[in-house]
Amino acid sequence: MSEDDYTMKRELSDVIQQLEGDKLEKVISIIMDGISGITDNGEIEIEIDALPPAVLQRLYNFVLRPIKAVNKPVNYDKVPKRAGSGNTGRAGAAATGDVKRKSMDEDED
């Protein structure tokens, strides 16, 4: 087993143990759909190493992918600039379309 597989299984196990309610029900459903012969008799105990790769992938996509997406740092170099945002990289009046702006704190002349 590779280090990545071990890490993924450990993370899955840790997060699944903390789930409650609808999320836990969905995890149970994913496991039951992926392994034939399992019935829900109130408590299910399965070794994570016994789960088929397809079930592990579905669990990862449901449990860990959303968490990792939230915690992923944003690389601002790869974020496209919005059209019309005025962020042209120019400073001063040129950045505002050559319209000079005055601070709200300044008195009117």
Side-chain angles (χ1 to χ4, degrees):
M1 175 173 27
S2 75
E3 183 68 27
D4 289 341
D5 288 343
Y6 174 78
T7 301
M8 179 183 74
K9 288 177 181 179
R10 183 177 44 81
E11 289 175 340
L12 269 173
S13 179
D14 291 346
V15 173
I16 288 172
Q17 289 179 28
Q18 298 173 13
L19 293 179
E20 296 178 348
D22 291 341
K23 288 191 176 196
L24 182 59
E25 291 294 325
K26 178 66 176 173
V27 165
I28 292 168
S29 174
I30 290 170
I31 293 170
M32 291 178 70
D33 289 347
I35 300 175
S36 60
I38 293 181
T39 57
D40 187 3
N41 293 332
E43 186 172 321
I44 297 174
E45 188 171 326
I46 298 172
E47 291 293 323
I48 199 152
D49 291 328
L51 295 175
V55 173
L56 288 171
Q57 187 63 47
R58 286 186 64 202
L59 289 172
Y60 176 86
N61 290 339
F62 178 73
V63 175
L64 291 177
R65 184 166 281 168
I67 293 171
K68 291 182 182 264
V70 169
N71 295 331
K72 185 177 181 181
V74 175
N75 182 350
Y76 290 103
D77 294 334
K78 294 186 178 183
V79 175
K81 293 180 180 168
R82 294 183 302 181
S85 68
N87 187 6
T88 61
R90 299 181 291 169
T96 60
D98 292 328
V99 174
K100 297 202 182 225
R101 303 206 185 255
K102 142 169 126 167
S103 172
M104 296 295 285
D105 295 332
E106 293 179 20
D107 292 331
E108 290 191 58
D109 292 328

